[in-house]
Amino acid sequence: MRLIGFPILFFIVLLISFSCKPAGPPTDLTKESIIPKPVSVAKTGNSFELDDDTQIYVEHDSLYFLGQYLSDRFKSATGFSIPVKIRSEAPGAGTIFLTTKPDQNLDFEGYALIITEDYIKLSAPELHGIFNGIQTLRQLLPAIIESVTVQKGPWLISSGVIRDYPAYHWRGSMLDVARHFFSVEDVKRYIDLISHYKMNVLHLHLSDDQGWRIEIKSWPNLTNYGGKTEVGGGEGGFYTQEQYSDIVAYAKDRFVTIVPEIDLPGHINAALASYGELNGGTVISKEGKSSEKQSQDIGKEPQRQKLYTGIDVGFSTLRIDNPSTFKFVEDVIREICAITPGPYFHIGGDEAHVTPKQDYISFINQFKKIVRKNKKKMIGWEEIAQANIDEEDIVQHWKSTQYAEKAAAKLSQIIMSPSKVAYLDMSYDSATKFNGKKIGTHWAAYIEVDSAYSWKVSTAAPGIYKDYLLGLEAPLWSETISTMDELEFLAFPRLPGYAEIGWSPEGNRKWSEYRVRLGKHGARMKAMEINFYRSPKVEWVE
């Protein structure tokens, strides 16, 4: 056996020594993996250290809760109980200072983050911008800052300046709690996850054929009976109005607007199963098929429909000639609007296949009046473009570009949710499974992480001017999922990409660059205990 020569041995020892050398402190802010990608980032070559002497100062009382939110976010992993104090001017070294001040180059969601070796200053025109800046600040610390147990530091942040604001002001996700019910705590967790990536809308799909999920005090059987089941025959569930208000308040503290949806006039079987007076004789077979049979029993109350636990669509409808229909609709919209401080009410309007077209148009026109009477702005799926909508209404595009174009021609604003690229319930590929269970569907497309990211709001529907585009929303329908782990598996890692599409300038986005940043978020998502799909399209760093 031949001995290794000294020069070679020296080289090997040197190589091992170099590879084991700990990484230096982070000093290049431009190399941090921030999602969504900021508008501008400049480095200054130093780093700020968060330690047990750090203090958070806020300029005035209204900022205190955000200072406490930031302190709480840091406490679990660092073990530091960082005090929050009110001070009207910038403090000295070792501090984080939150301040609101006018800035002509930032809108209400924008922020400026100045990080020096001695202090951090986060400023924004409004509180929403401060919250967004906090999300960026979280991502500038090591991924283990998101841990729920104390971790070893140091806690270093690259120095520099970030100026940031969104491209679109509607950046949301829809969660279907009707096909399968998700608890209040599940919904709150989803709010935390989407708001971390600066999404600001959670659209709750609260009713469908398989279940009614929101208490209506004037129609109690909607939840007492219609909320008892879900797809596959599970026990279902519902939110009391107090629980719903709790969700709304939780979202408000994270600058997320809750948009309630009651799907009308179709997708309504849970209501028809709850109250016979809403039926006009439509009979549903065990297979979910429908036939029109007008009751011949004069004076006899129509029978309730059977509860439905399948996944077929388009078989149920309200009847426009039924005197009870609009009393029901008015009561439902009135009660939900009364506990929803946000400006929107979503009336659904999709897949009303058994509703006669002229009845459908009349329904939408009536719904619009009721929503406006309750001082809300009506949103509906793209089919509502057939009705007399105008610039006061919002259309959500999901499939037909013709409907989107028709909505724009009527001056309505548009939310882009193109199902071929933006539906979170689509499988990643033909083999998508979680714990051996096949989840997701593919009627629109298989949507891998690169496909989910590589599209633009401005060109998703040809011929629509940007002025009509509010932004985007990524819907998550729940026919195939029933647990939070399954929900997260479909939502992540695609959801951060949708957040970036809505926030970052279109010309500043490239998949080849984004996939590297996303890969580095693997460790962050793991620390946040997100059950994410390890897409082979991304090199994950965990």
Side-chain angles (χ1 to χ4, degrees):
M1 184 173 108
R2 207 165 49 160
L3 294 175
I4 299 175
F6 177 77
I8 298 176
L9 181 62
F10 176 78
F11 175 77
I12 292 173
V13 171
L14 185 66
L15 184 64
I16 293 172
S17 175
F18 179 78
S19 65
C20 294
K21 183 179 179 181
T27 58
D28 191 343
L29 191 60
T30 63
K31 291 184 179 179
E32 298 295 337
S33 298
I34 305 168
I35 300 176
K37 188 176 184 180
V39 173
S40 70
V41 182
K43 63 181 179 179
T44 53
N46 292 310
S47 56
F48 173 89
E49 183 171 4
L50 184 76
D51 58 31
D52 56 3
D53 290 324
T54 301
Q55 298 183 76
I56 296 173
Y57 285 86
V58 298
E59 185 182 27
H60 44 75
D61 290 354
S62 63
L63 280 164
Y64 189 86
F65 83 99
L66 286 170
Q68 193 59 56
Y69 170 84
L70 179 60
S71 177
D72 291 343
R73 294 307 311 175
F74 290 162
K75 184 175 182 179
S76 295
T78 67
F80 305 151
S81 295
I82 301 175
V84 181
K85 302 177 181 179
I86 299 172
R87 182 168 175 172
S88 60
E89 58 187 32
T95 60
I96 301 172
F97 184 48
L98 310 184
T99 174
T100 53
K101 64 177 184 179
D103 189 323
Q104 291 183 345
N105 297 315
L106 295 176
D107 69 5
F108 71 97
E109 289 192 89
Y111 64 93
L113 191 56
I114 299 172
I115 304 162
T116 74
E117 194 173 6
D118 296 323
Y119 67 88
I120 295 174
K121 180 181 178 181
L122 172 57
S123 62
E126 297 187 22
L127 299 183
H128 196 161
I130 296 292
F131 180 83
N132 288 331
I134 287 173
Q135 307 317 308
T136 295
L137 193 57
R138 287 170 61 185
Q139 292 188 21
L140 294 177
L141 282 159
I144 53 172
I145 193 66
E146 304 298 340
S147 175
V148 296
T149 58
V150 175
Q151 305 292 316
K152 185 178 179 181
W155 305 100
L156 298 169
I157 302 173
S158 301
S159 66
V161 179
I162 296 175
R163 290 184 64 82
D164 203 11
Y165 49 86
Y168 294 96
H169 285 300
W170 193 288
R171 305 176 311 281
S173 181
M174 187 219 74
L175 179 59
D176 171 14
V177 297
R179 270 53 176 271
H180 281 99
F181 180 67
F182 288 87
S183 71
V184 171
E185 292 308 311
D186 287 340
V187 176
K188 286 182 176 180
R189 173 161 170 81
Y190 198 52
I191 290 168
D192 281 330
L193 296 179
I194 68 173
S195 64
H196 178 55
Y197 289 100
K198 302 185 180 73
M199 281 186 157
N200 60 2
V201 174
L202 179 60
H203 166 184
L204 289 176
H205 185 77
L206 292 166
S207 70
D208 214 296
D209 293 310
Q210 299 85 354
W212 188 282
R213 307 303 181 202
I214 178 70
E215 176 191 25
I216 304 298
K217 294 184 184 294
S218 56
W219 297 73
N221 227 30
L222 289 171
T223 47
N224 292 343
Y225 187 71
K228 285 171 55 176
T229 191
E230 59 188 15
V231 166
E235 65 181 10
F238 67 91
Y239 311 118
T240 65
Q241 291 195 7
E242 291 72 25
Q243 288 174 322
Y244 174 81
S245 294
D246 182 38
I247 290 171
V248 170
Y250 190 86
K252 183 181 178 183
D253 283 347
R254 287 146 185 81
F255 297 87
V256 171
T257 298
I258 297 295
V259 177
E261 179 190 351
I262 298 297
D263 211 341
L264 306 165
H267 286 279
I268 198 68
N269 191 75
L272 303 182
S274 300
Y275 286 95
E277 63 199 85
L278 294 177
N279 292 281
T282 304
V283 176
I284 302 174
S285 70
K286 291 181 180 179
E287 294 76 27
K289 306 300 181 182
S290 64
S291 61
E292 294 290 335
K293 290 185 178 180
Q294 192 66 33
S295 173
Q296 301 301 313
D297 299 323
I298 305 300
K300 183 178 181 181
E301 180 180 325
Q303 292 185 347
R304 299 187 308 189
Q305 302 291 6
K306 294 181 180 179
L307 291 170
Y308 182 68
T309 60
I311 60 172
D312 285 346
V313 300
F315 60 82
S316 61
T317 184
L318 292 172
R319 297 189 67 94
I320 205 162
D321 56 351
N322 184 338
S324 297
T325 293
F326 285 103
K327 176 175 174 24
F328 160 75
V329 172
E330 290 206 17
D331 287 341
V332 168
I333 292 177
R334 171 180 50 79
E335 288 197 31
I336 296 176
C337 285
I339 55 175
T340 304
Y344 309 106
F345 188 92
H346 202 303
I347 55 90
D350 63 320
E351 299 177 321
H353 300 324
V354 297
T355 309
K357 182 176 180 178
Q358 196 53 51
D359 287 359
Y360 176 85
I361 292 172
S362 296
F363 266 129
I364 303 303
N365 292 339
Q366 284 289 95
F367 298 159
K368 178 176 71 173
K369 292 177 182 177
I370 297 169
V371 170
R372 289 187 183 180
K373 186 171 72 172
N374 285 276
K375 297 180 172 53
K376 303 295 182 186
K377 186 181 286 264
M378 183 182 75
I379 307 175
W381 297 103
E382 62 190 20
E383 290 92 326
I384 72 166
Q386 300 169 86
N388 298 332
I389 60 172
D390 56 36
E391 66 274 7
E392 295 297 316
D393 305 310
I394 298 172
V395 170
Q396 188 163 2
H397 163 62
W398 65 281
K399 185 178 182 181
S400 168
T401 57
Q402 289 182 334
Y403 283 141
E405 290 170 358
K406 184 176 288 190
K410 295 180 178 182
L411 306 181
S412 297
Q413 292 180 301
I414 300 168
I415 301 165
M416 300 304 296
S417 301
S419 53
K420 289 185 177 181
V421 288
Y423 267 33
L424 285 166
D425 55 301
M426 294 297 110
S427 302
Y428 295 96
D429 56 31
S430 60
T432 301
K433 289 183 179 180
F434 174 66
N435 281 348
K437 174 186 174 183
K438 196 169 178 110
I439 62 174
T441 60
H442 61 274
W443 61 262
Y446 290 115
I447 306 177
E448 247 294 0
V449 183
D450 55 344
S451 299
Y453 181 80
S454 302
W455 63 282
K456 298 177 180 179
V457 173
S458 64
T459 58
I464 298 177
Y465 296 115
K466 185 176 180 180
D467 290 348
Y468 295 112
L469 298 172
L470 277 181
L472 83 160
E473 189 175 287
L476 180 48
W477 303 99
S478 66
E479 288 96 335
T480 69
I481 60 171
S482 58
T483 69
M484 198 63 194
D485 279 345
E486 292 171 350
L487 184 161
E488 291 175 5
F489 190 77
L490 287 181
F492 288 87
R494 291 182 290 198
L495 189 135
Y498 294 133
E500 181 153 306
I501 291 170
W503 182 279
S504 305
E506 289 183 349
N508 202 24
R509 294 194 295 107
K510 291 183 180 178
W511 163 250
S512 59
E513 185 271 338
Y514 170 73
R515 68 186 289 272
V516 176
R517 280 184 290 121
L518 180 61
K520 292 178 180 178
H521 270 246
R524 191 166 300 276
M525 289 188 281
K526 187 174 181 180
M528 295 171 76
E529 300 183 349
I530 298 173
N531 179 48
F532 68 98
Y533 166 67
R534 274 74 168 173
S535 169
K537 301 279 186 177
V538 178
E539 294 180 12
W540 297 104
V541 179
E542 296 185 50

